[in-house]
Amino acid sequence: MSYDADLNFVFAHTPKLTFGANVVAELGTSLSEMGHSRAVVVTDKFLAEKTDMLERVKKSLAGRFAGAFTDVIPDPTADSIDLGAAYAKRQSADVLISLGGGSAIDTAKGMAVVLTEGGKILDHEGYHALTRPQTPHVAIPTTAGTGSEMTMVLVVKDPARGQKTFIGSYFLHPDLAVLDPTLTVGLPAKLTAATGMDAMSHAIESLLSNLRNPFSDGYSLEAIRIISTNLKRCLDKPDDLLARGQMLIAAAIAGSAFSNAMVVLNHALAHTVGAKYHIHHGTANAMFLPHTMRFFTDVSADRLALVAGALGISTSGITDEQAALQAADRIEEFNKEIGLTDRLSDYGVTEADLPAIADMALTDGSIIYSPKPVFDLDEIASVARKAL
Ligand code: NAD
């Protein structure tokens, strides 16, 4: 894969991560090394009340535990983040510990901003507007998908616009990511599959992005390889710590890749149907991914041929275009193997809704990084139509 002579890029991610079964027990030691003494945990009611995760975190924090905000909601809204920040302020938090999927991690990122900068989270919308370090944040993912523990982005839903919007800043990288596979063994099959395909989309889309660079490409290809060999194993044997750990690693690697190279049309569509029809983010990405790959084959066959190789397809003796199409077919088949057969129509979407979906996807920040200009509403609708 070639790069232009004028290649220039920045590559940044969360400064430190710890990985291993039960590393969450070392959280207290990490906080003492970091010099923090009042930790507010950011999680949701289910994880707090129906699992032992919050208790394990509290045990490790011991006297540093200053409270738990347990009102994280899936696809956090601006209001839910503002409420969390008010709670952490009352508890005089000097560090936030997110415990959960992308929704908990993004809620904590937003809370960190409001605690430091004041105002409401939507006052800080946009890219690179923050100018100083934010409230310290330790991210503990309990899904292996979003990679938010490694990214400079937070996704927040603005109910007034009915759309997801973004805040991006190098000051949003968590200070520490704790990857503990014992926390993902209880993830139900559907969520395991959907969050795994979110990571797969990050990896494939960042390879397609016109902001890709040699670091993100290397990360993406390794993530694709790991996911294609380990996601199904997590479904076949949910307590397979080796496979669960590999998926956490792949999600983090893919998170770093897309945080630097960005994502493309596929995510623009997924954000749109996530906000409009409450379709889980990973499920939505999986639905569109093979169609997005085919849509970009005319301009990105060389990159998609590398995807094919990382997926284990033998590419010798075939053209890049043939390999690219085989990669898309393989992703479609993989979705079926892991039980992700959802279609837009399962969520009530009809042909009549496609123009509005295309219109909203066009205003999503991700679309501009696509490897060819995507301005035509009919073209966007044509990709979405394949997932009806
Ligand atoms: P999620 O965080 O919304 O969680 C979904 C459900 O899974 C919740 O009900 C939660 O309680 C449950 N859950 C989480 N871990 C579990 C476990 N170990 N066992 C049982 N149940 C568990 O889902 P997600 O896919 O991780 O995150 C999606 C959100 O992340 C979306 O809002 C998306 O926009 C955002 N996102 C952010 C980034 C970023 O870089 N900031 C990247 C991708 C996605």
Side-chain angles (χ1 to χ4, degrees):
M1 188 157 47
S2 59
Y3 304 98
D4 294 334
D6 61 357
L7 174 72
N8 68 75
F9 62 90
V10 175
F11 194 85
H13 52 64
T14 293
K16 185 174 173 186
L17 73 79
T18 56
F19 172 84
N22 296 313
V23 280
V24 76
E26 291 157 25
L27 184 61
T29 312
S30 299
L31 284 205
S32 109
E33 284 166 9
M34 293 161 83
H36 305 309
S37 57
R38 291 196 58 80
V40 160
V41 181
V42 180
T43 189
D44 66 33
K45 285 249 164 0
F46 176 80
L47 296 180
E49 293 169 10
K50 304 285 182 208
T51 73
D52 65 353
M53 292 185 205
L54 179 56
E55 281 314 310
R56 289 174 65 190
V57 166
K58 276 166 82 172
K59 191 171 166 207
S60 178
L61 291 173
R64 293 180 192 83
F65 177 71
F69 175 72
T70 59
D71 287 332
V72 167
I73 53 172
D75 295 332
T77 57
D79 285 353
S80 71
I81 292 175
D82 292 334
L83 269 176
Y87 172 82
K89 192 171 179 189
R90 285 197 300 279
Q91 303 307 111
S92 307
D94 66 0
V95 62
L96 301 172
I97 315 281
S98 54
L99 175 71
S103 297
I105 299 172
D106 283 7
T107 300
K109 285 180 175 176
M111 288 167 61
V113 173
V114 176
L115 279 176
T116 302
E117 306 293 341
K120 291 173 177 272
I121 191 59
L122 289 179
D123 300 338
H124 309 286
E125 197 178 336
Y127 275 84
H128 297 302
L130 302 172
T131 56
R132 54 182 168 167
Q134 303 296 300
T135 308
H137 172 200
V138 176
I140 312 179
T142 65
T143 63
T146 73
S148 179
E149 65 278 7
M150 299 298 278
T151 76
M152 54 165 260
V153 194
L154 84 86
V155 187
V156 48
K157 196 162 139 185
D158 176 2
R161 281 178 283 176
Q163 190 167 12
K164 288 187 178 184
T165 181
F166 309 90
I167 300 178
S169 164
Y170 295 126
F171 296 116
L172 283 180
H173 289 120
D175 299 273
L176 170 67
V178 176
L179 308 186
D180 184 338
T182 65
L183 300 178
T184 58
V185 290
L187 195 62
K190 181 80 189 270
L191 271 171
T192 298
T195 50
M197 286 309 288
D198 187 21
M200 181 71 99
S201 301
H202 294 153
I204 294 178
E205 288 183 70
S206 50
L207 267 171
L208 291 171
S209 165
N210 54 25
L211 279 191
R212 78 201 168 87
N213 63 65
F215 285 78
S216 64
D217 286 346
Y219 277 38
S220 295
L221 289 169
E222 181 63 359
I224 295 166
R225 192 190 63 73
I226 298 175
I227 297 164
S228 64
T229 47
N230 287 280
L231 181 51
K232 181 85 173 27
R233 286 185 196 164
C234 295
L235 297 168
D236 293 342
K237 193 169 178 293
D239 62 352
D240 182 339
L241 274 185
L242 177 59
R244 289 286 189 184
Q246 290 295 301
M247 282 304 300
L248 270 174
I249 290 168
I253 296 175
S256 275
F258 96 82
S259 182
N260 288 283
M262 300 295 160
V263 277
V264 301
L265 169 68
N266 204 70
H267 259 70
L269 285 167
H271 289 144
T272 299
V273 300
K276 275 173 89 74
Y277 304 100
H278 307 290
I279 304 178
H280 177 266
H281 181 65
T283 305
N285 272 312
M287 269 184 207
F288 297 121
L289 190 56
H291 314 302
T292 300
M293 291 165 75
R294 291 180 189 120
F295 179 71
F296 288 130
T297 293
D298 57 344
V299 288
S300 303
D302 57 342
R303 304 183 210 174
L304 289 166
L306 291 173
V307 173
L311 289 170
I313 296 168
S314 166
T315 56
S316 69
I318 58 173
T319 63
D320 283 352
E321 283 74 16
Q322 287 166 329
L325 292 173
Q326 285 191 26
D329 291 349
R330 176 69 196 121
I331 290 291
E332 196 154 19
E333 202 179 284
F334 192 66
N335 277 339
K336 286 186 195 139
E337 284 169 14
I338 60 173
L340 277 187
T341 53
D342 301 35
R343 306 199 62 85
L344 287 174
S345 51
D346 299 331
Y347 297 85
V349 182
T350 66
E351 175 70 32
D353 299 313
L354 295 181
I357 290 174
D359 206 39
M360 192 181 275
L362 188 59
T363 66
D364 184 280
S366 313
I367 207 162
I368 57 170
Y369 304 106
S370 297
K372 64 183 176 188
V374 188
F375 294 127
D376 186 319
L377 290 174
D378 289 338
E379 268 187 351
I380 302 172
S382 75
V383 177
R385 183 173 295 109
K386 301 252 171 30
L388 255 186

